[in-house]
């Protein structure tokens, strides 16, 4: 009898498997329907020996020392500050929009102070910031919004920014400085030997049995277990009984070129041209020294694996219905980006999983058969 059947071997499932096995000495069956562990953070060596991210670029960044310390048990790190350029009006300029972006694009030589006034003249006043359009036009005005955000967002989400919650484009700030880093978090690191190696060390424990290419629906009635942690799409768990929750998908095109470098930075965004949103060149991220170079093109799509929950009020309402069902389902915990329907980064998922573990540990005596008090709400994701 397993104490836990954990569905999904991404960050949410693997962190919980590790905690339950190590801290409570409980027996865990960790399954994933894919052929590997690591979830969307899975990386692998391609045929030429280049380390690539199977599901698009994953850059670790966080302000939580606790989360870095926790993950450091399973990996060493390589410092990496992510920089992104956008191809706009035929030029490669920094995104997030900063002083150099505006000066280069408009052939100006503004100072930081002057740029503040320049933005203020163009910013559109909004009584309330609600949408992903409002967030940007209220700071930089309509022209830069159209150049950098409108086309990219329509491609990425199949929706106009005016139809998306403000939180989506709010992920990308605007700066009047020359800081061209994509993130400003205190910790910006990449696992030294890749994410998959880190996951392997996390789940290597005599009490954790890992089975890949195994779908929950195929084993739930076969394998005796006391409790479940489900990290897949929550609507799927409940047989879509209230209708499907929309998730956005991507098609990844991985390419290897017979030259050392393709582009000056890890990621180049294409807000105005092409069907793909961005090109990633992994050697910038991994620091690998190799005569060839590996790229990934991302083509957004409505069909395919669920990658992004779509932040929009009506989707959140539908999720709430499923969340109510989840809370009323004893002995099943819902954790992770798909099960809590939140556009979370990796560190936030680690934080959510650790918080869930604490809750389980506080409410459930080791080895007990009793049903624990369960909390599924996003507040579980608070990083303390
Ligand atoms: P997942 O990694 O999605 O894991 C869930 C697993 O459950 C999957 O492997 C799936 O196969 C499995 N599963 C689902 N249903 C079943 C079932 N019925 N039976 C068996 N298995 C099942 N975050 C960052 O911090 N930095 C980044 O740079 C970054 N870049 C990203 C780029 C892209 C293109 C994407 C899509 C995401 C990115 N993220 C990034 C977010 C990051 O991927 C997630 O925060 C994190 O991987 C979520 O972990 P998870 O365990 O919740 O979900
Ligand atoms: N975005 C944009 N243009 C850009 C970069 C981002 O319009 O050049 C918008 C787009 O809607 C995107 C969101 O901002 O989905 C968040 O960007 P981020 O780079 O965080 O996306 P992720 O890496 O999560 O796909």
């Amino acid at each position: 009898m397993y104490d836990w059947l954990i569905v999904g071997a991404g960050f949410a499932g693997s962190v919980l498997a590790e905690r339950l096995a190590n801290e409570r000495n409980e027996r865990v069956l960790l399954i994933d329907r894919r052929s590997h562990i690591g979830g969307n953070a899975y990386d692998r060596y391609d045929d030429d020996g280049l380390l690539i991210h199977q599901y698009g670029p994953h850059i670790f960044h966080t302000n939580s020392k606790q989360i870095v310390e926790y993950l450091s048990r399973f990996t060493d790190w390589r410092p990496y500050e992510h920089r992104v350029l956008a191809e706009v009006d035929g030029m490669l300029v920094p995104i997030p929009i900063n002083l150099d972006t505006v000066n280069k694009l408009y052939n100006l030589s503004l100072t930081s102070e002057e740029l503040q006034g320049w933005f203020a003249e163009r910013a559109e006043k909004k009584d309330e910031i609600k949408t992903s359009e409002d967030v940007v036009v209220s700071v930089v005005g309509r022209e830069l919004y159209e150049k950098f955000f409108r086309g990219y967002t329509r491609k990425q989400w199949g929706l106009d920014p005016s139809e998306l919650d403000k939180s989506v484009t709010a992920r990308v700030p605007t700066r009047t400085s020359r800081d061209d880093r994509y993130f400003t978090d205190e910790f910006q690191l990449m696992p030294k030997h890749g994410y998959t190696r880190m996951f392997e060390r996390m789940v290597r424990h005599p009490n954790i049995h890992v089975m890949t290419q195994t779908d929950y629906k195929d084993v739930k009635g076969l394998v005796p277990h006391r409790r479940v942690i489900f990290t897949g799409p929550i609507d799927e768990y409940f047989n879509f009984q209230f209708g499907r929750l929309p998730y956005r998908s991507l098609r990844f095109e991985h390419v290897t070129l017979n030259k050392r470098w393709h582009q000056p930075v890890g990621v180049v965004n294409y807000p105005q041209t092409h069907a793909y949103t961005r090109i990633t060149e992994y050697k910038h991220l991994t620091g690998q020294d190799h005569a060839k170079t590996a790229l990934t093109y991302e083509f957004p799509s409505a069909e395919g694996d669920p990658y992004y929950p779509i932040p929009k009020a009506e989707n959140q309402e539908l999720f709430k219905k499923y969340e109510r069902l989840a809370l009323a389902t004893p002995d099943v915990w819902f954790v992770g980006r798909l099960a809590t329907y939140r556009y979370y980064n990796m560190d936030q998922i680690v934080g959510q999983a650790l918080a869930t573990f604490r809750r389980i540990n506080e409410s459930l005596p080791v080895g007990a058969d009793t049903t624990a008090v369960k909390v599924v709400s996003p507040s579980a994701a608070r990083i303390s």
Side-chain angles (χ1 to χ4, degrees), residues 280-295:
T280 300
E281 184 171 29
Y282 291 104
K283 286 200 313 186
H284 292 284
L285 280 56
T286 59
Q288 200 178 358
D289 181 20
H290 200 291
K292 296 185 180 181
T293 193
L295 316 177

Side-chain angles (χ1 to χ4, degrees), residues 157-191:
W157 299 94
L159 293 169
D160 191 80
S162 61
E163 300 171 278
L164 271 173
D165 189 81
K166 63 182 177 194
S167 57
V168 176
T169 54
R171 289 168 61 89
V172 185
T174 302
R175 305 195 183 118
T176 52
S177 68
R178 302 190 61 194
D179 188 348
D180 64 345
R181 294 170 307 160
Y182 205 65
F183 308 111
T184 51
D185 301 51
E186 188 180 345
F187 305 98
Q188 305 189 35
L189 304 158
M190 296 291 286

